[in-house]
Amino acid sequence: MNNSTLNFTTPETSTNSTVGPLDYIEISALSISFLFGVPTNVYVLWLILTGTGSGVASEFFMLNLSVCEICTSLNNLVSLLPFYVASLKLLPMFLQGLILTGRPLFQCLICVEHYLAVVHPVTFLKYKPLRYRVICCAVAWIITLGSCFYCLFIVIAQNTQAEISFFSTHFLLLTFFQLFFLVAILRALKQSGPGGRGREREEENHMKRRAFYLILITTVSMTITYAPYAITGFSVLLTGQNTHIYWVPASICYILAGFVQPILYLHRAGNISWLCYP
């Protein structure tokens, strides 16, 4: 695809206006992301702002992640426009920073928040006020904006190797960072702590099982989201073969995995009843 969610085609292929079968597959994935991603994340945003869930303060990271996901879904629509309006080809390249940095950063903040709540509850209560979350999100948005300008600079410079090295290393480091905290949470949840008797202990174990499966689903989704792009990127760097067919599976995994976090939030808010785990 000439201008996809992440433009990793070579300069030679980017000048080719022919749309092949792989392009139609990726166009379908981008369309699904836009048609379902925008309303889903807007609904999550509305639930947080109206206080239907746990409130804005406790869900502030999720609120910012939803805003980032909405922008990402809109970028998927913008990525289709260069097929018809060539002058817009630089806009999706600039918005790549949201995909490369925005989503992973806010997911990392959510992982750290869950880690502190489970493993270090005293520290979590100390930094629970909203002002700390606002500061973290402000820094995350500044870093994301810098990533947008960096992505645009790389594309203008037509340095494909630098682009692939940047996003591969970026995804790999953020994946290890998130997995470290998620695995630590899973280990803490598996340890049996002191509880009450009878019904109280049963309710505590039930809540721990639900939290365990929630974090387990999040861990698997994180791996599916970022690992394919990192593996494909390093494979291209090592082999020197940059063919568009290599990127399609990773792109589809990244697009579809973006629905996991909003669906899990809607489930926790009681708006989805068909998603069940022990």
Side-chain angles (χ1 to χ4, degrees):
M1 185 172 180
N2 299 342
N3 290 285
S4 58
T5 308
L6 294 173
N7 183 21
F8 302 129
T9 55
T10 59
E12 292 78 11
T13 58
S14 63
T15 58
N16 184 9
S17 60
T18 303
V19 180
L22 291 176
D23 297 320
Y24 285 116
I25 295 175
E26 203 163 3
I27 288 174
S28 300
L30 292 171
S31 302
I32 291 173
S33 175
F34 171 73
L35 293 175
F36 294 96
V38 172
T40 302
N41 286 284
V42 167
Y43 184 48
V44 170
L45 203 62
W46 181 79
L47 290 176
I48 296 175
L49 293 176
T50 55
T52 307
S54 303
V56 177
S58 59
E59 299 289 351
F60 194 73
F61 291 149
M62 187 65 197
L63 184 147
N64 283 268
L65 177 60
S66 298
V67 172
C68 185
E69 291 290 354
I70 292 172
C71 296
T72 300
S73 298
L74 293 175
N75 183 41
N76 292 336
L77 175 64
V78 174
S79 298
L80 302 176
L81 297 181
F83 276 103
Y84 311 100
V85 184
S87 60
L88 296 176
K89 63 181 180 179
L90 291 181
L91 181 58
M93 302 302 103
F94 174 79
L95 295 177
Q96 280 184 9
L98 292 172
I99 304 168
L100 290 172
T101 307
R103 178 197 283 183
L105 272 182
F106 289 115
Q107 288 178 339
C108 285
L109 290 176
I110 293 175
C111 289
V112 173
E113 183 182 38
H114 291 166
Y115 170 79
L116 292 177
V118 175
V119 183
H120 302 287
V122 177
T123 305
F124 173 76
L125 293 175
K126 179 181 178 180
Y127 294 101
K128 190 176 181 180
L130 180 60
R131 62 179 180 272
Y132 295 109
R133 291 182 170 90
V134 172
I135 294 173
C136 292
C137 289
V139 173
W141 281 114
I142 293 173
I143 295 175
T144 301
L145 183 61
S147 178
C148 290
F149 282 107
Y150 183 73
C151 290
L152 183 62
F153 171 76
I154 291 179
V155 171
I156 293 177
Q158 295 186 352
N159 193 340
T160 306
Q161 295 295 322
E163 182 181 10
I164 297 176
S165 300
F166 170 69
F167 90 84
S168 299
T169 306
H170 195 70
F171 279 164
L172 187 63
L173 292 177
L174 289 174
T175 300
F176 280 127
F177 182 83
Q178 295 182 59
L179 289 179
F180 169 79
F181 289 104
L182 290 172
V183 171
I185 295 172
L186 291 175
R187 292 183 59 185
L189 289 173
K190 288 192 68 175
Q191 296 176 357
S192 58
R197 297 180 179 178
R199 184 179 180 85
E200 292 182 0
R201 186 172 183 84
E202 182 180 351
E203 291 179 355
E204 179 189 0
N205 291 334
H206 179 68
M207 292 179 62
K208 290 181 66 175
R209 283 198 302 270
R210 287 176 60 87
F212 178 85
Y213 283 102
L214 177 64
I215 297 299
L216 183 61
I217 293 173
T218 304
T219 304
V220 174
S221 68
M222 293 294 178
T223 306
I224 295 175
T225 302
Y226 303 113
Y229 262 132
I231 294 173
T232 305
F234 285 116
S235 298
V236 169
L237 291 175
L238 292 175
T239 60
Q241 299 179 357
N242 187 12
T243 306
H244 180 55
I245 191 174
Y246 297 158
W247 302 103
V248 175
S251 179
I252 293 175
C253 289
Y254 190 94
I255 292 172
L256 296 181
F259 291 101
V260 175
Q261 287 293 336
I263 289 177
L264 289 178
Y265 176 82
L266 293 175
H267 176 67
R268 287 191 290 112
N271 295 87
I272 296 180
S273 58
W274 51 264
L275 181 61
C276 300
Y277 44 83

